């Protein structure tokens, strides 16, 4: 369920297929450098006199603990401007497995990339896990290109998963299917001149089909289709 737009000033809504679970899995961290080194200096001497021996000494130079760099705060898109510091979803390890659970986890990750693109205008992460045969994906890329051209931006369009299921039966083409129920928020278009238009969201869930194949590089979406509205 993607939005397409005929031109930058007049948005037109075309709902296309998609499938997955809406979730964002983000790993954020920072690291510092290791433990302090201890430098020992021993200096001993002996003589016939019982008072001629020096006691060895040890000197430790403390290292200051680095202060973690604060992560820039996420700011959602509004009528005043586009979203800022949107966290990039990270693929979970389970999504790298060829299994029913792996497919479902991948679908969840894939769908989070859809919403990431709506907030940022960046189709790159989704392209990396979608095949050229995904025509609905191509329409989605066009939405982002138009929606973020000429200093314009988009607000909303978030997809919400209502249900997800897969019988994990391989098709003749070597793909595995998952079906979902999904809702989508309204999509607002903005630019320097203000509000440009609105594409209405969905008031009831749409049933959608996702087909994905597993390769040496992992799961890839090959087709998306809306079964009913």
């Amino acid at each position: 369920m993607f939005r397409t737009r005929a031109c930058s000033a007049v948005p037109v809504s075309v709902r296309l297929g998609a499938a997955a679970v809406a979730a964002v899995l983000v790993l954020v961290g920072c690291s510092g450098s290791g433990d302090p080194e201890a430098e020992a200096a021993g200096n001993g001497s002996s003589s016939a006199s019982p008072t001629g021996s020096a006691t060895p000494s040890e000197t430790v130079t403390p290292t200051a603990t680095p202060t973690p760099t604060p992560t820039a705060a996420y700011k959602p898109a509004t009528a005043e401007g586009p979203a800022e510091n949107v966290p990039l979803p990270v693929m979970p390890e389970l999504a790298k497995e060829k299994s029913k659970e792996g497919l479902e986890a991948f679908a969840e990750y894939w769908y989070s990339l859809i919403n990431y693109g709506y907030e940022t205008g960046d189709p790159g992460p989704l392209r990396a896990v979608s095949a050229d045969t995904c025509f609905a994906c191509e329409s989605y890329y066009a939405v982002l290109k138009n929606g973020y051209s000429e200093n314009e931006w988009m607000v909303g369009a978030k997809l919400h998963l209502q249900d997800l299921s897969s019988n994990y039966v391989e098709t003749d083409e070597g793909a595995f299917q998952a079906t979902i129920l999904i809702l989508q928020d309204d999509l607002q278009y903005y630019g320097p001149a203000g509000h440009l238009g609105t594409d209405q969201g969905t008031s009831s869930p749409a049933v959608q089909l996702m087909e994905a194949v597993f390769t040496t590089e992992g799961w890839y979406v090959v087709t998306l289709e809306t079964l009913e509205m």
Side-chain angles (χ1 to χ4, degrees), residues 16-190:
L16 301 174
V21 180
V24 180
L25 307 175
V26 184
L27 304 180
V28 179
C30 56
S31 60
S33 56
D35 296 329
E37 285 189 359
E39 182 179 341
N43 182 20
S45 62
S46 61
S47 67
S49 171
T51 59
S53 297
T55 303
S57 62
E58 183 177 275
T59 302
V60 177
T61 303
T63 300
T65 301
T67 302
T69 302
T71 302
Y74 162 69
K75 179 181 178 182
T78 66
E80 285 68 47
E84 298 178 7
N85 307 312
V86 181
L88 175 64
V90 176
M91 183 185 295
E93 288 301 315
L94 181 59
K96 301 174 184 178
E97 296 181 3
K98 186 180 182 181
S99 65
K100 179 179 184 295
E101 295 76 15
L103 173 60
E104 292 172 347
F106 170 77
E108 179 177 352
Y109 165 73
W110 187 88
Y111 222 113
S112 70
L113 296 179
I114 292 289
N115 288 329
Y116 174 82
Y118 277 133
E119 288 201 276
T120 64
D122 181 9
L126 190 75
R127 283 184 184 274
V129 290
S130 303
D132 293 340
T133 54
C134 179
F135 300 116
C137 298
E138 294 297 326
S139 296
Y140 168 76
Y141 304 148
V143 170
L144 301 188
K145 182 177 180 180
N146 291 332
Y148 284 87
S149 64
E150 300 179 359
N151 296 317
E152 297 174 3
W153 67 93
M154 300 189 298
V155 178
K158 185 174 183 178
L159 294 136
H160 303 275
L161 177 74
Q162 304 299 297
D163 192 23
L164 168 68
S165 63
S166 174
N167 57 13
Y168 200 67
V169 175
E170 189 170 7
T171 68
D172 293 340
E173 292 75 25
F176 294 86
Q177 297 178 338
T179 57
I180 66 162
L181 289 175
I182 197 163
L183 289 169
Q184 187 169 24
D185 294 342
D186 292 349
L187 171 56
Q188 307 283 344
Y189 297 94
Y190 289 92

